[in-house]
Amino acid sequence: MRAPVSEVRPAAVRAEDWSWRHAGRRSHAVSGASFDIEAGERVLLLGASGAGKSTLLHGLAGVLGGDEEGEAAGRLLVDGRPPAPDGRSGLVLQDPDAQIVMSRLADDVAFGCENLGVPPERIGARVRGALDAVGLALPADHPTSALSGGQRQRLALAGVIAMQPGLVLLDEPTANLDPAGVIEVRDAVARCLDASGATLIVVEHRIEAWLPLVDRVIVLAAGGGVLADGPPDRVLADASGELAAAGVWLPGAAPGATGAAAGGATDPVAGAAPSASEPLLTADGLAVGRSGVAVRTGIRTRLDAGRLLAITGPNGVGKTTLGLTLAGLLPPVAGRLEASGALRDGARSAHPIEWRSKQLLTRIGTVFQHPEHQFLRGSVRAELEVGPDALRLGRRERDARVAGLLDALRLDRLAGANPFTLSGGEKRRLSVATALIARPRLLILDEPTFGQDARTWQELVRLIAEVRDGGTGIAAITHDEAFAAALGDARLHLGARAEVRA
């Protein structure tokens, strides 16, 4: 193991047939997990979507809660003791918004240090060092509310680094980052580990960037226990094909092609669709922003029925703000954004921002960057019923739509579960399903493939392709180049300037 060169004491981890079942759930989120991790080891934790990777990290961070939140079996230990939220472990969550607590950048990074009782005279240096390490070169008083999704992830990582924990737990820390940001954050983690000697457990689906950093790979089995454990080269060789069958992304393996992506598929969820060449929404000289302050200007693009526009570009250039504006949820700062044809469909106004929520329901469906921001009810099934209920569909039609999407997105076994207890990948699939079920004419998807294993990625891409081929217009904000290549009919790249590529 690497020798630490700081005062940080690396932590040892042990799981002894450990299991966890969320309150109100019949099945376990994790079951029968057993392994030992030596102090200073760097581990990549893999497994299919829903295998319990995030739950295991939450357990090691000591934040799963007591008996009222779930039921544990076996033992989970950090340095021979049950985990506790005492600073020994530092966790970066899948949703960074869940751990941003202060309104100013430096204050948020300092928050954890202050709670741990770090002397005030040392906190400033820790904050500056952590922000430099993650490449967040912004003023100390920069509002956290003004950060992009990727910037929020870096802020959450900085808060953990500043605490100097002995065990660093990263739950898909680069999922919403552009390619350059992925390498920047990976290298920041590497520098911090080299300096501290801390133990690392990182969960990622796309693993190539992390392989140079880790000593070991542990793969959780979806049905319980550990599917594989050992050095990366040996585990990921996957001679038996078990990992590929379980949906684990393997190095160098391109996502499988789907028949739907090539066109010609029949859409199981869409009804009658507009013709595939019909313009639905046109932007010309569009400026987007919040509170009247533009973050992007001069946007010119068009969304057509039966075509997918991939919106790409680095973090912080306004992709999500553009998506919310196209969806009629933020007003344009300037320029023209007008609906036409089947999208307008008799509405008095051609401007989506002026439509009522019920008018938007069948016209524009939106999948937010963070799935939790759109959940309203206490079960997966009830969540899917929100749209049909608002449309006053009959029970038979409603139940048929719900059943079809539960099956298509592997959520049927979770129909009675609380949406907030799902894994990150399951939450993302549910959020896509809630937009699809109302059968809107236009879909705005923000990072639709986040958190998916190789198998659920293919299934989700196939379903989106079928919806597109059925005549629905789609705009997808994505850092997933494989998704953009598979389904994108055109691309709007937001970089130094906006450009559309056919």
Side-chain angles (χ1 to χ4, degrees):
M1 296 299 101
R2 300 168 178 79
V5 292
S6 74
E7 297 180 1
V8 172
R9 180 169 54 89
V13 173
R14 168 169 287 187
E16 298 177 351
D17 198 29
W18 186 74
S19 303
W20 175 267
R21 182 176 59 82
H22 291 287
R25 295 274 289 273
R26 293 182 179 179
S27 59
H28 285 81
V30 182
S31 63
S34 295
F35 53 80
D36 285 286
I37 297 175
E38 295 181 26
E41 274 195 287
R42 302 176 180 181
V43 176
L44 177 62
L45 182 64
L46 303 179
S49 175
K53 304 180 295 296
S54 295
T55 301
L56 178 58
L57 292 194
H58 291 180
L60 289 170
V63 296
L64 277 179
D67 294 340
E68 70 280 1
E69 295 189 27
E71 175 185 337
R75 294 208 301 169
L76 194 63
L77 305 172
V78 176
D79 292 333
R81 299 179 179 180
D86 56 6
R88 193 74 185 105
S89 303
L91 171 64
V92 175
L93 299 168
Q94 282 178 328
D95 178 6
D97 284 351
Q99 60 190 106
I100 294 176
V101 295
M102 304 297 286
S103 61
R104 302 194 309 170
L105 194 76
D107 292 343
D108 196 79
V109 179
F111 182 80
C113 295
E114 292 168 347
N115 280 331
L116 294 176
V118 175
E121 63 271 17
R122 296 184 183 179
I123 292 178
R126 287 198 187 188
V127 168
R128 289 189 295 274
L131 288 172
D132 288 344
V134 300
L136 206 52
L138 294 168
D141 61 352
H142 188 83
T144 56
S145 60
L147 298 175
S148 71
Q151 290 170 326
R152 289 186 177 99
Q153 276 185 306
R154 298 186 204 190
L155 177 61
L157 177 60
V160 165
I161 290 172
M163 292 164 58
Q164 299 184 356
L167 174 61
V168 177
L169 305 167
L170 307 180
D171 196 350
E172 300 203 52
T174 61
N176 288 327
L177 296 182
D178 57 72
V182 170
I183 300 304
E184 187 174 65
V185 169
R186 189 276 315 274
D187 290 348
V189 173
R191 290 193 298 270
C192 295
L193 294 177
D194 287 343
S196 69
T199 307
L200 170 72
I201 303 177
V202 56
V203 170
E204 281 284 5
H205 280 292
R206 304 297 181 88
I207 64 179
E208 286 89 344
W210 293 92
L211 290 179
L213 188 61
V214 299
D215 310 306
R216 178 178 171 190
V217 172
I218 297 175
V219 184
L220 295 184
V226 172
L227 183 62
D229 184 359
D233 290 346
R234 177 169 63 81
V235 170
L236 297 175
D238 193 29
S240 66
E242 282 186 298
L243 301 191
V248 174
W249 289 100
L250 297 173
T258 67
T266 301
D267 179 7
V269 297
S275 63
S277 60
E278 181 183 353
L280 297 177
L281 192 63
T282 302
D284 191 9
L286 181 66
V288 299
R290 299 170 190 257
S291 302
V293 179
V295 298
R296 194 79 197 183
T297 61
I299 298 170
R300 185 173 182 270
T301 192
R302 195 179 85 181
L303 303 180
D304 291 344
R307 288 172 61 83
L308 186 145
L309 175 70
I311 301 174
T312 61
N315 292 106
V317 297
K319 299 186 301 297
T320 291
T321 303
L322 172 59
L324 293 172
T325 305
L326 295 174
L329 301 177
L330 285 177
V333 175
R336 181 171 68 92
L337 182 65
E338 292 184 358
S340 59
L343 185 63
R344 184 171 179 179
D345 190 27
R348 289 186 177 182
S349 173
H351 309 298
I353 190 63
E354 297 176 359
W355 296 346
R356 299 188 304 273
S357 58
K358 192 168 184 179
Q359 290 177 304
L360 282 171
L361 189 59
T362 56
R363 288 177 171 84
I364 306 178
T366 307
V367 172
F368 296 138
Q369 188 175 52
H370 300 298
E372 296 89 344
H373 294 178
Q374 62 194 95
F375 294 156
L376 301 171
R377 293 186 178 175
S379 75
V380 168
R381 183 181 298 279
E383 194 66 48
L384 286 175
E385 292 172 347
V386 170
D389 287 348
L391 294 174
R392 299 184 179 179
L393 297 182
R395 178 175 295 182
R396 180 177 297 180
E397 173 67 11
R398 181 196 69 185
D399 291 350
R401 292 191 188 188
V402 169
L405 284 167
L406 286 173
D407 178 66
L409 293 173
R410 293 182 182 265
L411 296 171
D412 44 351
R413 65 181 179 84
L414 298 167
N418 188 306
F420 291 95
T421 67
L422 304 183
S423 73
E426 291 163 347
K427 289 176 182 175
R428 170 50 77 214
R429 298 201 299 279
L430 175 59
S431 66
V432 171
T434 61
L436 292 178
I437 201 162
R439 300 181 178 174
R441 299 176 180 91
L442 179 65
L443 281 170
I444 309 297
L445 310 177
D446 199 339
E447 299 290 356
T449 57
F450 161 75
Q452 303 309 306
D453 61 45
R455 181 176 55 184
T456 59
W457 184 92
Q458 291 187 29
E459 292 165 350
L460 190 56
V461 167
R462 182 181 296 114
L463 182 60
I464 293 171
E466 290 172 349
V467 171
R468 177 203 63 185
D469 294 345
T472 299
I474 302 173
I477 297 161
T478 185
H479 290 302
D480 184 348
E481 187 56 38
F483 173 81
L487 295 188
D489 298 296
R491 184 176 299 212
L492 174 65
H493 183 77
L494 301 185
R497 60 186 179 90
E499 55 182 292
V500 178
R501 305 178 195 157

